[in-house]
Amino acid sequence: MDSGNTPLNKLITKLALEEQSDNEFVGGSGVGGVTVENRLFGGLLVAQAFMAAARTSSLGLHSLHSYFLRPARPNEPILYRVSRIKEGRNFHVRLVEASQSESQIFHMQASFTKALSGPGHQDTVPVVVSPESCPNRDELRGRNKDDSPIDVRMATPITESEALPPEQHIWLKPNANLPDDPILHLALLIYSSDRTLLDTAWRPHANLGEHTGASLDHTVWAHKTTDFNQWHLYTMNSPASGSGRGLAFGAIHNSHGERILSTAQEGVMRLKT
C-alpha cells in the first residue's frame, strides 16, 4: 500500500477500530465521506460495523442486514457494541449496535459461516466497456478524483436531468494498492457497495427536478473472497419505487466475471420543494 495521508489511507485507518473490550469497538468518523446534509456516508457505517463483527468470529461473512436509524455526524467517535447471538458449529450470528453520544444511529445483523461445498451458478455478467475507457464519476460531478479512496468509473451515463432506464454499471477499484488482508478487501468492497444504489432508482425520474434521498437499509450477501486490487464491476437495477421510497439491487463481479457480492437497498426518494 502506498504511504502518505491519502484518502484511502484515512479510510483504512477508520476501519482499524479501537478495541475497548471483547465486544466493544470505537471507530473514528473523521471529516471524510461527509454528505451535503452533513451526514456521514452510510457505507462507512456498514464497513465499520462489519469489521467489528468480524473481530468476534473466526468464520467468513455470509450476509449482513443493516438499518440506518439516525444520521451519523462527522468528527464524533462511533461506538460499536457486538452481541454474540449465535455460536454454532457452521454459523455465527452477530448483532452490532452503533451509537454516538448515547444515541443509537445504526443496527446490523451479520451472519458468518464455514466454507461449505455445494452446487453453484450465477447470472450472466453484462458486457460493458473496459474501465480504462470509462470516465471517472467524481470528475463528471466536478470533483477531484484523487479526493476519493475509490476510483469509480461510469460504464453507463451518469444521472443528470434526463430520464434514463433504472440500471447502472460502474467499475470500482481502490486508488492505491491494498495490503494482503482479505477482511480489509471485503470491508472496502462493502464500503463501496453503498455507492450509486439509490441513485439507480432515481434515474427514470431525473427529468422531474432535483431530489433528496437517504438510505434506510442496506443488505450484502458474500459469495466469494476476492482481490480488490483489481477492477470490479458493479451492476445495479431498480425494479420499483413509490411511496417516497426507491428499491435497488446490485451485484459485484471480479475481473474474471465471478460474482463476489450481491446487494440490496431501499431509501427515501423525494423531490426537493
Side-chain angles (χ1 to χ4, degrees):
M1 184 184 64
D2 293 345
S3 60
N5 198 24
T6 66
L8 179 60
N9 285 351
K10 291 179 181 177
L11 175 57
I12 291 173
T13 299
K14 292 176 188 176
L15 296 177
L17 307 179
E18 176 188 342
E19 184 172 341
Q20 289 199 334
S21 71
D22 290 344
N23 301 305
E24 290 188 335
F25 306 87
V26 175
S29 59
V31 296
V34 181
T35 70
V36 292
E37 294 85 7
N38 201 36
R39 295 191 299 244
L40 281 182
F41 176 53
L44 177 62
L45 289 174
V46 181
Q48 286 186 333
F50 160 70
M51 291 295 283
R55 297 266 283 272
T56 71
S57 175
S58 59
L59 306 183
L61 181 69
H62 151 231
S63 66
L64 56 84
H65 304 269
S66 306
Y67 286 91
F68 301 96
L69 306 178
R70 295 178 180 85
R73 299 303 180 186
N75 296 318
E76 190 175 325
I78 305 171
L79 175 63
Y80 295 91
R81 292 187 177 93
V82 183
S83 300
R84 306 185 187 217
I85 305 299
K86 178 179 179 178
E87 200 82 7
R89 184 173 61 181
N90 293 321
F91 288 92
H92 293 169
V93 177
R94 303 292 187 255
L95 173 65
V96 184
E97 299 169 289
S99 60
Q100 283 182 317
S101 300
E102 302 303 320
S103 178
Q104 290 197 359
I105 59 173
F106 175 87
H107 277 189
M108 170 191 288
Q109 189 164 325
S111 175
F112 296 82
T113 182
K114 282 185 177 179
L116 304 172
S117 61
H121 73 277
Q122 68 173 55
D123 286 346
T124 302
V125 184
V127 177
V128 303
V129 295
S130 68
E132 292 79 11
S133 303
C134 297
N136 175 273
R137 183 173 185 263
D138 290 299
E139 288 185 334
L140 289 174
R141 301 180 73 185
R143 303 170 180 170
N144 186 341
K145 66 181 180 65
D146 296 327
D147 291 338
S148 173
I150 308 296
D151 189 351
V152 180
R153 304 287 182 93
M154 297 298 303
T156 47
I158 195 168
T159 305
E160 292 183 338
S161 58
E162 177 187 358
L164 295 169
E167 62 179 33
Q168 287 196 96
H169 305 324
I170 64 175
W171 289 100
L172 301 167
K173 191 174 76 167
N175 269 325
N177 284 332
L178 302 176
D180 186 16
D181 179 355
I183 294 178
L184 177 62
H185 285 233
L186 180 54
L188 287 169
L189 262 184
I190 290 170
Y191 169 90
S192 304
S193 72
D194 192 33
R195 299 289 294 268
T196 71
L197 260 179
L198 190 55
D199 178 62
T200 304
W202 177 250
R203 287 166 73 84
H205 316 287
N207 60 318
L208 301 179
E210 284 190 85
H211 77 289
T212 182
S215 302
L216 295 171
D217 53 32
H218 189 77
T219 297
V220 174
W221 294 269
H223 310 297
K224 296 177 181 290
T225 58
T226 193
D227 177 7
F228 196 24
N229 285 314
Q230 308 299 319
W231 284 107
H232 282 62
L233 177 65
Y234 196 8
T235 64
M236 292 157 281
N237 71 88
S238 172
S241 67
S243 302
R245 302 189 307 275
L247 175 67
F249 295 103
I252 297 181
H253 303 84
N254 66 14
S255 57
H256 303 294
E258 297 175 308
R259 190 171 182 133
I260 304 301
L261 300 182
S262 295
T263 65
Q265 184 178 95
E266 190 172 45
V268 174
M269 195 175 77
R270 297 172 184 159
L271 282 166
K272 285 187 177 180
T273 57

